[in-house]
Amino acid sequence: AMRKLIQWKWPLVALATIALAVGMFFYWRHSEIYPSTEDAYVSAHVVQVAPQITGPITRVYVVNQQEVNEGDPLFDISPTAFQLAMTQAHARLVLARQSVSADAAAVAAAQAEVADRKVQLQNTQATAQRTRQLRDKGFVSEQAYDNANAAVQSAKAQVNLAAAKVHQAEMTLGGAGEQNERIREAAAALDQTKLDLSHTHVSAACSGHITQLTLHPGDVVQSGTPLFVLVCDKQFWVDANFKETELERIHPGQPADITVDMYPGHHFRGRVENLSGASGTAFSLLPPENATGNWVKVTQRVPVRVTVLDPDSKHPLRVGTSAQVTVDTAATTQKSAPILESRR
């Protein structure tokens, strides 16, 4: 029996070795075709909600962690000051139009004066012509002829003076009608007050949920200062950090399988959207300094963005949570679509 056992020992060892080698080969081959990483995290569009005007809060429509739809009201800022500013801007627009109308009338009056001076010039020129003929016949004196010529020169000067007044009036008027600079400036100021007034009511820019909300009625908010965060839920993606040695077969459009630690039994369909142009350490605060004598080669990781194609309301994703991504590099490349894709 011992002899038989010895006879079968080496064939079994050889068979086990072959099986182990085959298994390792298939494992290596599978890892090459289906690269996978657990260094992956869920991301989404995050809106820092900030007012565009300064003022006291009069009403808050939401609470922390509340789900909202796009266009839902978030909070109101007191509109009183902005309503008064709009009333004042409207009055200034009316005054500007009245001022432009008065200046337009002044231009018309100056032009009428030019026409009148030209008529007077024609009359004095005719008088001078008749005086010259009478002087040549000896019926009037040379002095009378000189006086007639002086009247012509004076009439010409009056025409030039009236023309200068027309130019001055036109410069004061500026553009005509609603294209006048004063009217356009006053209208723009009115539009700005209307815009400011519309900003007293703040609505959700996207569907999602509210977080980091501590806002209350009576709080005075400053323009441009973030108040809380709105995490949009229309599109999620995973930033997966693959080893640089795995990137040769990964290309945009390839299908991927995504699991998140929150729902270990649920699989999400994904698609490779793009590969970063640099490793994760390239833009870190303290990048590695490799130009030293103690350099050690370390395999780097490169971020790969994978879009979640089938977000599930029964399995809501959370920004920053851990995930695992496996890319099918043997599948036919799918057509890439924009990141902002509607919830299916």
Side-chain angles (χ1 to χ4, degrees):
M2 181 63 67
R3 184 177 295 178
K4 291 182 178 180
L5 181 61
I6 293 174
Q7 290 176 348
W8 284 100
K9 176 181 179 180
W10 294 112
L12 290 174
V13 171
L15 183 61
T17 301
I18 293 173
L20 179 60
V22 172
M24 292 180 65
F25 172 77
F26 279 105
Y27 175 78
W28 169 80
R29 185 59 179 167
H30 182 275
S31 299
E32 185 180 43
I33 299 176
Y34 303 98
S36 179
T37 181
E38 291 184 346
D39 187 359
Y41 305 93
V42 177
S43 297
H45 292 286
V46 176
V47 177
Q48 298 286 340
V49 180
Q52 299 187 52
I53 56 174
T54 298
I57 297 296
T58 57
R59 185 175 180 181
V60 179
Y61 296 91
V62 293
V63 295
N64 201 31
Q65 305 304 331
Q66 178 178 330
E67 296 286 338
V68 296
N69 295 318
E70 182 177 354
D72 284 353
L74 299 179
F75 60 89
D76 287 338
I77 299 174
S78 176
T80 304
F82 303 99
Q83 290 171 339
L84 293 174
M86 186 176 69
T87 301
Q88 185 181 44
H90 185 271
R92 288 176 176 173
L93 177 59
V94 173
L95 291 175
R97 285 174 174 158
Q98 291 176 349
S99 176
V100 168
S101 296
D103 289 342
V107 170
Q111 291 172 340
E113 184 178 357
V114 169
D116 178 67
R117 295 299 182 182
K118 287 181 178 180
V119 170
Q120 294 183 24
L121 173 60
Q122 292 174 354
N123 184 49
T124 55
Q125 288 174 334
T127 300
Q129 178 66 21
R130 290 193 297 271
T131 302
R132 184 180 67 81
Q133 294 174 353
L134 292 175
R135 184 206 60 179
D136 293 342
K137 295 178 180 180
F139 292 115
V140 296
S141 66
E142 189 70 25
Q143 182 63 45
Y145 176 67
D146 292 341
N147 291 341
N149 283 333
V152 170
Q153 297 302 318
S154 176
K156 289 181 178 180
Q158 292 298 320
V159 170
N160 293 334
L161 179 60
K165 291 181 179 179
V166 170
H167 179 70
Q168 182 180 10
E170 289 176 342
M171 293 296 294
T172 302
L173 172 62
E178 291 297 312
Q179 296 303 312
N180 183 270
E181 293 77 7
R182 282 171 288 171
I183 292 180
R184 290 172 60 188
E185 181 183 18
L190 178 60
D191 290 341
Q192 181 63 54
T193 61
K194 291 179 179 179
L195 182 61
D196 290 341
L197 184 60
S198 69
H199 289 157
T200 61
H201 181 76
V202 180
S203 303
C206 65
S207 298
H209 68 273
I210 304 296
T211 185
Q212 300 181 3
L213 174 64
T214 59
L215 194 63
H216 300 284
D219 291 343
V220 177
V221 296
Q222 299 295 322
S223 175
T225 302
L227 302 177
F228 54 90
V229 175
L230 172 59
V231 181
C232 302
D233 61 4
K234 285 187 176 180
Q235 182 64 51
F236 289 92
W237 64 88
V238 175
D239 289 320
N241 301 295
F242 282 92
K243 295 179 180 178
E244 57 186 324
T245 54
E246 299 172 324
L247 296 180
E248 182 179 3
R249 294 179 59 90
I250 298 178
H251 304 287
Q254 291 174 336
D257 179 78
I258 303 170
T259 59
V260 295
D261 291 0
M262 291 177 60
Y263 315 111
H266 184 81
H267 290 258
F268 295 91
R269 291 190 305 108
R271 180 185 59 244
V272 176
E273 197 68 33
N274 55 61
L275 285 72
S276 175
S279 67
T281 61
F283 304 113
S284 62
L285 183 61
L286 296 174
E289 179 54 68
N290 294 329
T292 65
N294 297 323
W295 172 74
V296 177
K297 185 175 182 179
V298 178
T299 301
Q300 300 297 311
R301 290 183 178 268
V302 176
V304 176
R305 176 163 292 189
V306 180
T307 302
V308 179
L309 299 178
D310 56 349
D312 187 356
S313 59
K314 295 181 180 179
H315 300 87
L317 297 172
R318 305 297 179 186
V319 173
T321 54
S322 300
Q324 179 176 347
V325 176
T326 301
V327 178
D328 182 2
T329 62
T332 303
T333 299
Q334 302 173 6
K335 185 178 180 181
S336 180
I339 281 292
L340 288 177
E341 180 178 302
S342 300
R343 176 185 287 276
R344 295 183 51 174

